[in-house]
Amino acid sequence: MAVDEGVAPAAKTDETGTVHRLKPNAVGLLGVVFMAVATAAPITAMTGNVPFMVSAGNGIGAPASYLVAMVVLAIFSVGFTSMAKHITSTGAFYGFISYGLGRTVGLASGLLATFAYVVFEPALIGIFSTFATETLKDQTGADIPWWAFALLMLAVNAMGTWFGVSVAEKLLVVLLATEVTILAAMAISVAFHGGGPDGFSIDPVNPVNAFKGTSAGLGLFFAFWSWVGFESTAMYGEESRNPKKIIPKATMISVLGVGVFYVFVSWMAITGTGQSKAVEVSTANPLQLFFGPTEQYVGHWAVNVMQWLMITGSLACGMAFHNCAARYMYALGREGVLPSLKNTVGRTHARHGSPHIAGLVQTIVTALLLLAFAAAGKDPYTGTYVLLAILGTMAILVVQAVCSFAVLVYFRRNHPESRHWFRTLTAPLVGGVAMLAVVALLVSNMGAAAGTESGSLVLKATPWLVALVAGTGIGYAQYLKRRDPARYQLLGRTVLEETKER
């Protein structure tokens, strides 16, 4: 199919008719990697998660948790990327699971994934607003209300999606490069100085220590939480160059690259603070676990810069999640899951080839969620961010587990000639079981992870909300199967024609 890079052409489904497609060849390998890594938000994951893991999770074994999580996610990615070589779909999990386990499970998973990314954006706006408010107050004395920053981030995210993935990519490259640089500067400086007060030790990266501490399960869950969004590489397939090669590479680079970075930075933060003091420091003043070594080994100026980069890092993460949510909405809409969606969220911008209407809908939904949490008196960080992040994480982890099992079935049914004992059998099986174990870790540690919101109604309702969304997808798919078979046949079947499964 010939493509005009200036407009968004139509893409064939495997039924009859055409649908609007996203702008082709808009992003390369590094762009997809940056979009995926942005959802992980390295500086937010490090400064936000590691101190809590050290103080209330597995202590100095926090870096080992990242090592364990990296291995598990790499195994999961083997099966995930094997399927990405056959199917290119903006719906990512929605399309993969639909081809593997059928349209009913596919729609349920597609709704769950959409739901997860929809709630992730207001969660990140909550933490962005908190970081921005506190940093400006500390460094300039200006006392600006959090909602002003929330409006700013809503506008930036909306524009990024409206003008296409290439615009968002350019902004994310700058934001990610700066936050990774400052964290790396701290870690490398500690290493060059021969370690901290207690010198060097491999105890923090000893896998055995990932399963020790006050609550090893909580520490491991936070490690997996730090990667949420890495799988978003697949949803940029239609907009990337040579997606059957780029998407598998981008996924593995995201998992392994981020993993090595997390392990090294968290290890050096604990080493620079001193293993004997790390738990005490993380409990008394969480951010000091990173600010302390940064000030001592790099300089006070770097602490000030790090505070600003915590703001831009959460902005990058929220922007990436906004793009993900818009693309899932678009994927569901263009197939006419509801007839009214095909000519609304299922359309792309005539010039930019972006899911502009879906992006606008996501902005409105995010604003309403923020208003609802504010009306309920929830703090933008301890309330909005924590509660919505836990809710979204549970939903996406369930989808990841289901996707692993979809890989097993897909290759057995559709491509027996491509079956491999590790890539399409052992890896997805181990990955799926491991993902279910992580879901169990989340359920059993939700109260501790929520902190001051452990008694919140939203937290208590989290498993039920996830079940409700999945149940709605199953019920509606069965309704379509009986009442509108033609539409049912389209569920999860819109793929990029030139890379369609063979």
Side-chain angles (χ1 to χ4, degrees), residues 11-19 335 490 493-495 500:
K12 292 281 186 179
T13 67
D14 64 350
E15 308 296 332
T16 57
T18 61
V19 295
E335 291 181 350
L490 285 176
R493 290 308 198 266
T494 303
V495 296
K500 186 178 171 181

Side-chain angles (χ1 to χ4, degrees), residues 143-395:
D143 191 2
I144 301 175
W146 72 269
W147 53 262
F149 294 106
L151 289 173
L152 173 64
M153 187 165 172
L154 277 171
V156 171
N157 289 352
M159 287 190 294
T161 301
W162 186 278
F163 290 107
V165 69
S166 59
V167 173
E169 174 203 355
K170 291 178 177 63
L171 182 56
L172 290 176
V173 166
V174 175
L175 297 180
L176 276 173
T178 51
E179 67 179 272
V180 166
T181 299
I182 199 68
L183 287 170
M186 179 277 294
I188 293 170
S189 294
V190 171
F192 279 172
H193 281 84
D198 302 326
F200 268 116
S201 171
I202 63 168
D203 287 344
V205 291
N206 183 346
V208 173
N209 289 327
F211 302 93
K212 296 181 179 180
T214 306
S215 175
L218 183 65
L220 285 164
F221 160 66
F222 269 90
F224 280 94
W225 188 358
S226 301
W227 260 278
V228 165
F230 79 91
E231 74 293 330
S232 63
T233 50
M235 69 181 65
Y236 296 106
E238 290 189 18
E239 299 161 273
S240 67
R241 307 178 192 103
N242 198 354
K244 292 176 77 173
K245 289 186 177 180
I246 278 183
I247 301 308
K249 285 181 181 178
T251 304
M252 294 307 295
I253 290 172
S254 300
V255 171
L256 298 177
V258 167
V260 170
F261 185 78
Y262 282 169
V263 171
F264 179 58
V265 170
S266 58
W267 182 16
M268 290 302 102
I270 291 171
T271 299
T273 302
Q275 284 183 213
S276 60
K277 299 191 301 179
V279 174
E280 179 186 345
V281 169
S282 297
T283 304
N285 185 358
L287 287 177
Q288 194 61 24
L289 185 69
F290 283 87
F291 288 171
T294 300
E295 180 151 12
Q296 181 176 352
Y297 296 102
V298 184
H300 181 71
W301 66 269
V303 175
N304 291 333
V305 171
M306 185 175 284
Q307 286 183 294
W308 287 100
L309 294 180
M310 287 165 62
I311 301 172
T312 59
S314 53
L315 171 64
C317 185
M319 181 184 297
F321 280 133
H322 180 89
N323 274 279
C324 293
R327 277 157 180 76
Y328 263 108
M329 285 185 188
Y330 159 76
L332 290 166
R334 69 179 179 181
E335 291 181 350
V337 171
L338 290 174
S340 59
L341 298 181
K342 193 162 188 177
N343 291 316
T344 51
V345 297
R347 294 186 67 84
T348 54
H349 193 282
R351 178 180 177 185
H352 304 302
S354 62
H356 61 307
I357 299 177
L360 181 60
V361 170
Q362 170 60 16
T363 299
I364 294 171
V365 171
T366 297
L368 291 175
L369 283 171
L370 289 171
L371 282 172
F373 274 74
K378 297 297 183 184
D379 180 84
Y381 178 37
T382 60
T384 305
Y385 168 69
V386 171
L387 292 173
L388 290 180
I390 290 173
L391 176 59
T393 299
M394 180 176 288

Side-chain angles (χ1 to χ4, degrees), residues 76 118 196 215 232 300 447 454 466:
F76 162 82
V118 164
S215 175
S232 63
H300 181 71
S454 58
V466 171

